[in-house]
Amino acid sequence: MYDIFEDIAALLHRLPLASTCADDVSIHQLAADLKRKREAEVRALTEVHQAATDGSDPLLDKLRELSALKREIDEQLSHLIVYSRHFVRPRPYQLSLVADATGLSISGVRAISGRKCEMEEVARNLERSDTKGMLTPGVKLEKSLANLEALASKQGWRTVVYRLAGTASSADATMKTATGIKKTAGVKLPADFSYSIPPGAPVHVSLQSKAAAGRVSCEIIVDGTRLSGDEADGAHVTASCQGTVP
């Protein structure tokens, strides 16, 4: 019988085409990196599955997690497209340039950038009006974040801690929060970042070494319980942890 965890890891971290490898050295490096990523993925999937108490299915859980990430990425693309067409000063980006950058048609970019709800969301987060002065930001961001924290305490959101460590002299972190993706450059290790995140939401953290040597590691802790972990050692390596808040 096939191991579903290993199958999922193999499809998420795919073998490169031979044409992408210039020599035997690069093939060896790619193979070693691929093996490490697959092993880390299997560990993460196994840990999430063992921690679950509702008889969850690892494949369906991963599909839900990736679907949630896709929805988030689609939203981020939409907001940046709206920003490029209505909020960049002194003049907006050309439709053709945005279409080329996103792989969308010009009509597709025009349709997305014309959504009023997206424009209102961009104005709210930027706290300024669009270039034509048709929209006003409304509630200040500080108040919105305060309301979000209050809502978290009422709805039983979980405390998610991204624990970062290592010996690398310099590293950059990328973390999934309840409101989007947060990137922090030059993280001083060790470091903990804590967020309130609702149950069922995907969580992810990656720590990329910017040094020629050293180790980096990451852990995801949910209400004091370890959800996922990974580590890497070498030049410019990345430790990556992911899972779903139980």
Side-chain angles (χ1 to χ4, degrees):
M1 181 176 179
Y2 295 109
D3 188 319
I4 191 170
F5 298 116
E6 292 185 357
D7 287 349
I8 294 172
L11 294 175
L12 292 177
H13 306 283
R14 298 179 298 279
L15 289 167
L17 296 173
S19 59
T20 64
C21 303
D23 49 46
D24 291 340
V25 175
S26 62
I27 292 175
H28 175 75
Q29 292 173 339
L30 286 171
D33 187 51
L34 183 65
K35 182 175 183 294
R36 187 193 66 78
K37 288 181 178 179
R38 287 185 176 184
E39 290 174 347
E41 188 72 46
V42 169
R43 289 197 301 270
L45 290 168
T46 303
E47 289 173 358
V48 171
H49 185 64
Q50 291 176 344
T53 58
D54 56 357
S56 61
D57 182 283
L59 177 57
L60 296 179
D61 288 346
K62 179 55 69 171
L63 288 172
R64 293 188 188 98
E65 177 187 337
L66 293 177
S67 295
L69 287 173
K70 181 179 181 298
R71 288 193 296 272
E72 179 179 339
I73 290 172
D74 287 342
E75 288 180 358
Q76 291 174 336
L77 281 171
S78 296
H79 292 155
L80 290 177
I81 288 172
V82 168
Y83 170 74
S84 72
R85 294 292 298 158
H86 297 290
F87 290 84
V88 174
R89 292 171 170 81
R91 60 179 63 86
Y93 281 77
Q94 296 177 3
L95 282 169
S96 59
L97 293 177
V98 179
D100 182 65
T102 59
L104 298 170
S105 65
I106 289 179
S107 59
V109 172
R110 183 182 288 112
I112 292 174
S113 62
R115 297 174 185 167
K116 185 178 179 181
C117 60
E118 305 278 9
M119 294 177 65
E120 292 174 343
E121 183 70 7
V122 173
R124 183 177 69 85
N125 280 277
L126 294 181
E127 299 185 11
R128 68 170 184 265
S129 176
D130 60 302
T131 55
K132 294 183 179 179
M134 298 175 62
L135 297 170
T136 54
V139 180
K140 287 292 185 181
L141 182 60
E142 290 79 4
K143 185 175 181 180
S144 297
L145 292 177
N147 291 339
L148 184 62
E149 290 298 326
L151 183 63
S153 63
K154 293 179 181 179
Q155 294 187 346
W157 286 19
R158 314 295 293 274
T159 299
V160 175
V161 176
Y162 293 129
R163 183 157 294 162
L164 311 177
T167 59
S169 58
S170 178
D172 297 342
T174 301
M175 295 163 281
K176 172 76 171 61
T177 73
T179 56
I181 301 296
K182 179 180 179 181
K183 296 185 177 182
T184 303
V187 176
K188 185 177 181 180
L189 301 175
D192 285 0
F193 295 85
S194 180
Y195 300 97
S196 293
I197 299 179
V203 285
H204 174 267
V205 59
S206 63
L207 184 63
Q208 182 180 12
S209 171
K210 310 301 289 186
R215 179 180 59 85
V216 290
S217 66
C218 64
E219 285 185 289
I220 300 178
I221 312 295
V222 180
D223 287 347
T225 301
R226 188 175 187 266
L227 177 66
S228 178
D230 186 32
E231 64 177 29
D233 193 356
H236 308 290
V237 294
T238 300
S240 179
C241 304
Q242 57 276 321
T244 302
V245 178

